[in-house]
Amino acid sequence: MESPKQFDFLVIGSGLAGLFYALEASKAGTVAILTKGAARESNTLHAQGGVACVASATDTFDLHIQDTLNAGGGLCKEAVVRRIVEDGPDRIRDLARLGVRFATRPGEEGEIWDLGKEGGHSRRRIFHVDDATGKEIEQVLLQAVSANPRIQLLEEHQAVDLITLGKLGYSSENRCVGCYVLDRASGRVEVFCAHHTLLATGGCGKVYLYTSNPDVATGDGVAMAFRAGVPVANMEFIQFHPTCLYHPRAKSFLISEALRGEGALLVNHQGDRFLPDVDPRGELAPRDIVARAIDAEIKRSGHPCVYLDIRQKGKEFLLGRFPTIYSACLRYGIDMAADLIPVVPAAHYQCGGVVTDIDGRTELPGLWAAGEVACTGLHGANRLASNSLLEAVVISYRAARASSIGKPPSRKVTIPLWDEGSAADPDELVVVAHNWREIRELMWDYVGIVRTRKRLRRAGVRLRNLAREIREYYWSYRLNADLIDLRNLALVASLIVDSALERRESRGLHYILDFPGPDDTRPPADTILRFSEAPID
Ligand code: FAD
Ligand code: SIN
């Protein structure tokens, strides 16, 4: 094993949060960005709808704040919501300055922003780049990073565990000093040290069988922070996107909520709308309501999906506004201008995560978190559409500024090398694949959109057994990427189940038949879990 690599800032993850932090932090020192796959693979790359931000004359910060609070089911932190919403315009300007070409349209006095609309928003306020906003943001930021001599980006480098002074036995001071990292190409585990480490590892959609998320979204950041003793909050609030394409060959393809913003209707297999009976906002009700209504309609009808109908907008409009979705649907034989689009809900976004303050600071000195991995208090019990890219850009910027202030600690520490373990077990791949599938099926069947305590308990028992098996493998055999993912996936799944069991009420995205309404006898509170209460490691 090589000697530790030293940087001022260590960034884990190359989505919007990680890249934007790196660019800002590089003004104060050297930066390493580690990413477990190819640089661009991330939830950011797949974002379609856009970034919510107040920009039109008919919109106000107060309206955006109110919409966010309404969606959040009483659990948003209002001061955090205000800060993020009010910082939005500056960060949109930064992105545009870096080269993100947000859509515009002709106005009375020249070009104006072409703002989209999505569920739960009372005004048009979504900055977008057609229907591939994330792809443009990711490309622009990666270009800026590659042109920056103070930033080193390492692909195929997977963070395994955080290194803390507490775990190294320095009892007088606990602090994050870096990370053990698997170089996937060589199979070696290396030590990366830094004064400041940012978790920007995104979400955990792959915990569920059906998800809009890419394969890298296995909840690594939450798992690593939790194992390091950092509190994790509100993991029961998993957002299911109402409309993912339902097609045997389509893996995780989202049909953006922006379609409903432009007038798409949801109908059942008989062609009837069902949302107006559920909520007066119909197709533009917040996501938790729409996803639950679809789930109920699918169960009631016995038909495997429902349909989006946007035929009325015509081919020319659809090709101009939704070119990516149009061509993707066409690949599966669906012409949006002529056909209904079959859709189902799928796991999409983790509203909870590593607890941070408004500057992305966690409880552990030296450790920061931004983007989907973090729980700042913006989303509460249900995220408002397109608020996550906003949060990622605002908090990563604030974290970079905050972590650049002051003198870095100068203590010299000795970090033990990773014990590389013995040779790989030939059975390993089969066992990993089997356990991975079992967790994802279990979560889908027992910890989905509608929950019961009985099913949650059953999932908890099974997850504990699986965790024991995984732990044995983990510590007995040589480490590889699949084993790291599986270990994290199992821990995050059990954090979701434990949080869901802890919340004895239905609120926002957590809907449980045993308690069909919110508990009005006490003020709404976060569900906070710490390592000592962990069922597994
Ligand atoms: P990500 O962009 O997910 O990046 C995480 C990075 O961490 C990746 O590079 C990953 O490889 C890396 N990583 C993970 N674990 C490790 C590890 N152990 N070691 C090293 N690297 C690691 N939000 C909106 O606001 N508007 C939208 O329109 C929108 N559309 C969406 C559409 C889809 C299909 C999806 C899936 C999400 C969408 N979201 C949207 C949500 C939004 O895209 C994400 O919340 C946001 O991009 C998260 O950014 P991030 O930087 O926190 O994480
Ligand atoms: C979408 O385009 O529907 C996704 C928006 C989001 O997840 O915020």
Side-chain angles (χ1 to χ4, degrees), residues 7 23 26 29-31 143-153:
F7 294 86
L23 288 170
S26 69
T30 56
V31 185
Q143 264 165 21
V145 159
S146 71
N148 188 318
R150 299 183 97 176
I151 305 177
Q152 199 177 330
L153 190 150

Side-chain angles (χ1 to χ4, degrees), residues 48-49 118 241 254 256-257 287 348 383 385-386:
Q48 295 181 348
E118 291 177 0
H241 195 291
L254 190 80
S256 175
E257 189 153 326
R287 268 185 205 168
H348 182 61
R383 174 179 68 103
S386 287

Side-chain angles (χ1 to χ4, degrees), residues 220-232:
D220 296 8
V222 165
M224 285 189 285
F226 188 74
R227 285 193 293 266
V230 180
V232 163

Side-chain angles (χ1 to χ4, degrees), residues 48-269:
Q48 295 181 348
V51 193
C53 179
V54 173
S56 81
T58 58
D59 200 2
T60 64
F61 288 142
D62 282 340
L63 283 171
H64 189 179
I65 291 164
Q66 198 51 54
D67 291 343
T68 303
L69 298 177
N70 289 348
L75 274 184
C76 301
K77 295 193 169 63
E78 193 166 340
V80 170
V81 177
R82 178 167 294 282
R83 188 68 278 137
I84 291 175
V85 164
E86 291 186 357
D87 280 4
D90 284 343
R91 300 293 78 79
I92 289 283
R93 266 191 290 278
D94 289 345
L95 288 173
R97 218 175 288 129
L98 282 164
V100 176
R101 294 159 300 171
F102 289 114
T104 58
R105 63 184 172 82
E108 280 171 14
E109 293 164 22
E111 284 293 295
I112 56 170
W113 298 119
D114 179 42
L115 301 172
K117 190 160 179 355
E118 291 177 0
H121 288 277
S122 58
R123 292 290 186 279
R124 283 191 172 265
R125 62 169 77 100
I126 316 297
F127 281 77
H128 65 98
V129 183
D130 297 335
D131 57 353
T133 312
K135 189 172 165 193
E136 168 91 355
I137 290 176
E138 188 69 24
Q139 270 167 0
V140 164
L141 294 183
L142 280 174
Q143 264 165 21
V145 159
S146 71
N148 188 318
R150 299 183 97 176
I151 305 177
Q152 199 177 330
L153 190 150
L154 295 145
E155 294 184 308
E156 304 290 331
H157 276 64
Q158 180 165 15
V160 179
D161 259 324
L162 298 170
I163 303 171
T164 62
L165 290 184
K167 281 200 177 165
L168 294 179
Y170 294 81
S171 53
S172 60
E173 177 197 4
N174 197 13
R175 184 178 174 83
C176 179
V177 291
C179 190
Y180 287 110
V181 179
L182 175 75
D183 175 347
R184 286 176 162 193
S186 69
R188 311 299 295 270
V189 177
E190 300 170 348
V191 174
F192 280 72
C193 293
H195 306 306
H196 300 282
T197 300
L198 176 82
L199 289 173
T201 48
C204 68
K206 294 304 279 190
V207 165
Y208 285 89
L209 190 57
Y210 302 110
T211 176
S212 64
N213 291 190
D215 290 347
V216 291
T218 51
D220 296 8
V222 165
M224 285 189 285
F226 188 74
R227 285 193 293 266
V230 180
V232 163
N234 293 350
M235 288 300 290
E236 67 274 36
F237 299 120
I238 299 293
Q239 185 170 71
F240 290 79
H241 195 291
T243 57
C244 284
L245 185 60
Y246 176 74
H247 189 279
R249 281 185 290 115
K251 189 187 169 203
S252 349
F253 189 74
L254 190 80
I255 308 291
S256 175
E257 189 153 326
L259 259 77
R260 279 176 280 135
E262 298 300 340
L265 300 176
L266 272 164
V267 296
N268 62 20
H269 67 293

Side-chain angles (χ1 to χ4, degrees), residues 379-393:
H379 308 306
N382 179 29
R383 174 179 68 103
L384 186 65
S386 287
N387 262 359
S388 44
L389 291 175
L390 173 70
E391 183 191 43
V393 71

